[in-house]
Amino acid sequence: MSIFSHPAYDKHEQVAFYQDAKSGLKAIIAVHNTNLGPSLGGCRMWPYADDGEALEDVLRLSRGMTYKSAMAGLKLGGGKSVIIGDPRKEKTPELLRAMGEFINTLGGRYITAEDSGTSVADMKVIGETTKFVSGLIEGSETGGDPSPSTAYGVFVGLKATAKHRWGRDDLQGLKVSIQGVGNVGFRLAKLLKEAGAEIYVTDIFQDNIDRAVSELGATAVGSDEIFDLDVDLFAPCAMGAILNDDTIARLKVGAIAGAANNQLAEERHAQALREKGILYAPDYVINAGGIIDVYYQQQGDYNPAQVKEHIERIGDTMQEIFQRAEETGETTAHVADRIAEERFGHEDAVKKTDSAAA
């Protein structure tokens, strides 16, 4: 199958492949859209089952970054990179430096940052061979790590979701199931616990589950059992495409609000959720805290209060989406897409605007 006929290809501006035999690096960079600015998105390292799975992931993720930055009001485009490999076993300084050399070949059209399977420390190594790396600012409280900001943004959006779904201003006693308690998921779980929520967790790594149980008093459940829990809200914070025909049929929740990218396996699953009465918080809107943080790091003169204020606008954006979806009968995912496309100049949105003006 060619790139241009790939189901996940969405008029991407550039898709680049790179292999370095010496370090063992196999990677892909996808630049989706740069209408608003250079593409910025994390570098994910993951043990993909095959090259096709990696390609689909980077195409979907880079597209999501375009929409995410547009909805967050940032002058950035959408891009993403993936390294094929197990980050716990195959990551080396040589491999990361080779990744920096790969990023350089795009001449600044793509700027990287940390993501699943990579860290701030890894970005520093990548930064030895490229200047097109972000999330390293020493002046921030986290040393440049955007994970806390991502978690906080999801928490803000989750509260807005609970407000719209149940009309409540607090999370006391709310039952929340969290799929994935890594860097972002654990921080979200901590915020929820502090807010009085009852949390259930699962993860592909047992040590992550053990930490959530011992430090937060979370209830551990099986990786498949997470979809069958009778809880109020489901927070996907791991990999994407987990909302599909099978899982949606099993869900017993009133709302979904989590940090994972590309939660819907297909666009039609947004309608399936709506028909089942499940309120869905569009993933690229609610999880934008990290990219907001990294954007301000890029600008210089990093101001934590300014970053927090911008992240807290996620709650207002979520309320706007929920309200418009309720008024029009559309899915929340479609409403969010429409707003984002108007902002970054998507071809279809431009045509609709021109027609309306005529």
Side-chain angles (χ1 to χ4, degrees), residues 22 48 95 125 208-209 225 246 276 337 349 352:
K22 187 176 180 181
Y48 294 101
L95 180 144
V125 179
N208 286 345
I209 295 175
E225 184 187 355
D246 172 59
K276 196 170 181 181
D337 281 357
K352 289 177 183 176

Side-chain angles (χ1 to χ4, degrees), residues 315-325 335 339 343:
D316 297 330
T317 303
M318 293 305 315
Q319 289 287 11
E320 179 187 354
I321 291 169
F322 294 150
Q323 189 63 39
R324 286 178 61 168
V335 168
I339 296 172
R343 292 184 180 182

Side-chain angles (χ1 to χ4, degrees), residues 5-72:
S5 59
H6 194 287
Y9 177 76
D10 181 51
K11 299 179 181 177
H12 285 67
E13 295 176 6
Q14 185 173 5
V15 182
F17 299 80
Y18 192 83
Q19 181 171 5
D20 179 65
K22 187 176 180 181
S23 67
L25 175 68
K26 289 184 178 179
I28 311 171
I29 296 175
V31 175
H32 176 252
N33 185 287
T34 57
N35 286 358
L36 295 179
S39 66
L40 194 155
C43 174
R44 172 171 293 185
M45 185 170 184
W46 199 256
Y48 294 101
D50 52 47
D51 300 349
E53 186 179 71
L55 175 60
E56 180 172 11
D57 202 29
V58 77
L59 289 174
R60 284 169 59 90
L61 288 168
S62 56
R63 178 184 183 276
M65 290 306 301
T66 298
Y67 285 71
K68 183 183 300 188
S69 291
M71 283 300 286

Side-chain angles (χ1 to χ4, degrees), residues 115 127 132 137 154 198 208 266 307:
D115 201 279
F132 304 115
I137 190 167
V154 174
E198 185 178 329
N208 286 345
E266 298 177 37
V307 174

Side-chain angles (χ1 to χ4, degrees), residues 125-146:
V125 179
I126 288 176
E128 293 175 13
T129 51
T130 183
K131 65 180 181 180
F132 304 115
V133 59
S134 189
L136 299 175
I137 190 167
E138 298 293 341
S140 78
E141 189 176 313
T142 59
D145 181 1

Side-chain angles (χ1 to χ4, degrees), residues 54-357:
L55 175 60
E56 180 172 11
D57 202 29
V58 77
L59 289 174
R60 284 169 59 90
L61 288 168
S62 56
R63 178 184 183 276
M65 290 306 301
T66 298
Y67 285 71
K68 183 183 300 188
S69 291
M71 283 300 286
L74 305 176
K75 295 179 181 178
L76 292 172
K80 206 81 172 184
S81 61
V82 297
I83 297 174
I84 301 171
D86 188 333
R88 295 194 170 199
K89 299 176 181 178
E90 301 175 73
K91 189 193 299 176
T92 65
E94 291 74 24
L95 180 144
L96 294 171
R97 282 191 281 267
M99 186 65 193
E101 293 170 356
F102 177 26
I103 292 167
N104 264 340
T105 65
L106 273 71
R109 298 187 72 239
Y110 168 70
I111 302 167
T112 196
E114 71 145 32
D115 201 279
S116 300
T118 61
S119 64
V120 171
D122 296 332
M123 292 304 106
K124 289 181 178 178
V125 179
I126 288 176
E128 293 175 13
T129 51
T130 183
K131 65 180 181 180
F132 304 115
V133 59
S134 189
L136 299 175
I137 190 167
E138 298 293 341
S140 78
E141 189 176 313
T142 59
D145 181 1
S147 299
S149 289
T150 302
Y152 182 62
V154 174
F155 180 66
V156 169
L158 189 151
K159 287 195 296 182
T161 303
K163 172 71 173 176
H164 189 84
R165 181 65 177 81
W166 296 288
R168 55 187 299 169
D169 294 311
D170 66 86
L171 303 180
Q172 188 67 40
L174 192 77
K175 294 182 179 180
V176 182
S177 57
I178 306 174
Q179 181 191 46
V181 277
N183 286 339
V184 174
F186 180 81
R187 288 183 170 94
L188 174 63
K190 188 172 186 294
L191 290 168
L192 288 168
K193 181 69 175 180
E194 292 169 352
E198 185 178 329
I199 53 179
Y200 301 78
V201 303
T202 194
D203 197 286
I204 60 173
F205 298 116
Q206 188 61 43
D207 53 342
N208 286 345
I209 295 175
D210 293 342
R211 181 175 64 154
V213 171
S214 63
E215 295 184 26
L216 304 177
T219 300
V221 300
S223 59
D224 191 55
E225 184 187 355
I226 198 79
F227 299 108
D228 299 309
L229 296 183
D230 189 1
V231 296
D232 299 304
L233 188 144
F234 174 42
C237 297
M239 300 299 282
I242 48 83
L243 297 175
N244 52 50
D245 292 337
D246 172 59
T247 59
I248 291 173
R250 295 160 59 187
L251 290 172
K252 303 179 182 70
V253 301
I256 297 173
N261 288 303
N262 299 320
Q263 295 169 25
L264 301 171
E266 298 177 37
E267 289 184 16
R268 64 184 177 85
H269 290 121
Q271 180 62 25
L273 289 172
R274 182 176 178 276
E275 291 174 357
K276 196 170 181 181
I278 298 175
L279 180 63
Y280 171 63
D283 47 47
Y284 63 79
V285 180
I286 197 172
N287 67 14
I291 194 68
I292 292 170
D293 192 308
V294 170
Y295 174 77
Y296 280 97
Q297 291 186 43
Q298 285 288 106
Q299 303 307 301
D301 192 25
Y302 185 85
N303 184 329
Q306 184 181 26
V307 174
K308 184 179 181 182
E309 187 276 330
H310 195 144
I311 291 172
E312 288 178 344
R313 294 182 216 160
I314 289 173
D316 297 330
T317 303
M318 293 305 315
Q319 289 287 11
E320 179 187 354
I321 291 169
F322 294 150
Q323 189 63 39
R324 286 178 61 168
E326 199 170 86
E327 292 171 355
T328 63
E330 299 171 288
T331 67
T332 55
H334 185 244
V335 168
D337 281 357
R338 204 146 44 82
I339 296 172
E341 287 165 0
E342 289 168 1
R343 292 184 180 182
F344 73 79
H346 187 279
E347 191 174 276
D348 292 339
V350 171
K351 287 178 181 177
K352 289 177 183 176
T353 302
D354 290 344
S355 297

